[in-house]
Amino acid sequence: MTNRLQGVLPVIATPFDERWQIDRDALAREIDWLYDHRVDGVVVAMVSEILRLSTEERKELHEAVIAANRGRGPVVVGVGAESTVVARDLAQHAEASGADAVMITPPLLTRVSEDQLLAHLDAVVERVSIPVVFQDASSYVGEPVSVRLQAELVTSFGADRLLLKPEADPLGQRVSAILEATGGRARIFDGSGGVALFDTFRRGIVGTMPGPDLVWAVRGMWDALTQGDDELAVRISNPLTALISMVPGLDGYVAFEKYMLVKQGVLPHPRMRGPVSFEIDAGTEAMLELQAQALRDAVAGAPV
C-alpha cells in the first residue's frame, strides 16, 4: 500500500449544509470532481476543518469520504488530537473504516518534549497496521519539528511505515536535510499547497497534498515535472504561488478554497464553522479572480 501513497493527493474541503452538518451529497460530488481531475487519492486533514468537528463527526467524515472514494485511490485520514487516547481511537476507527493510511500532527496546544512526542506517536503507530504520515503542521500552528527527530522517526518505524509531511520553512532545504539524514529513505510529501512544489519535487518528494480547489493546476504542474518539462512547470508555478500567497493562515486557506470551489460549481455554499479569523472581502475577491485567471491561462498549456 505504501507505494500507492504518492502523486497528487488533495485534502478535501468539508461542506456543511444549512444546519451546519456534514453535507454528504456535496462531499461525494467534490470527490468525484477531484477524480475527474486525475488525482491519485484524497486526504482528510486540518484544512478539512477537523479541528472544528466533534470526535463523532470526525468519524462520520472518515466514513463518508471512504464511501464516496469508492476505492479509486488511497484515502489518508488525519487523526491528530491533543490527547493520545483520542488520536489512537481515531486511528483505529479510520483503519477499521477502510482508510489506507492515517496522518498525525503533534499536539497543537501543548508544547511537549521530543520524548513525549515519540511516545505519543508510538502509541498510535502500534495500534494500526496501515502507514502513518507524520505532519509537521508548523506552517499553520505549533513549533517546527526538528530534522533530527523526523529522521529518527523514519529510522525507528521504517520508511514504509512512517512517512513525512514537513511544512516548516525553508521547506526545500528541510526536505533535502531529511533525505540526507535518512540516507534517502524517507518518503516525503510536499505540504506547501503548491507554493514550494517545483523546489521540493526536484529535491525528491514522492507526492503533494494541496487543497482541492486548485488541484487542476497542481496536477498539471506535477505532470510537467514528472515529464521533465521545467518550462511549463515554471509557467504554472508562478501564478499558483502568487495566488496562494494572498491567503493568510489556516482560516484564510479554508475560506479561499471554499470560495474557489463554489465559483467552480463544486460546492453549493462556502460555509465555514466559526469562529473564523479571516473572511474574503470585495477587494480580496477581485484580486483572487485576476490571479485565478492568470493561473487558468498558464494551465491551458499543460499536458492532458
Side-chain angles (χ1 to χ4, degrees), residues 88 91-92 95 121-130 161:
R88 190 172 57 201
Q92 290 177 295
E95 180 174 26
L121 291 170
D122 187 63
V124 174
V125 175
E126 70 176 5
R127 291 299 183 96
V128 295
S129 61
I130 54 179
R161 189 87 167 88

Side-chain angles (χ1 to χ4, degrees), residues 14 100 113 152-153 164 167 196 198 203 210 217 222 259 265 276 299-300:
T14 302
D100 299 284
S113 68
E152 183 178 336
L153 293 174
L164 298 172
E167 296 182 6
F198 190 96
R203 292 174 186 265
W222 182 266
Y259 167 85
V276 298
V299 174

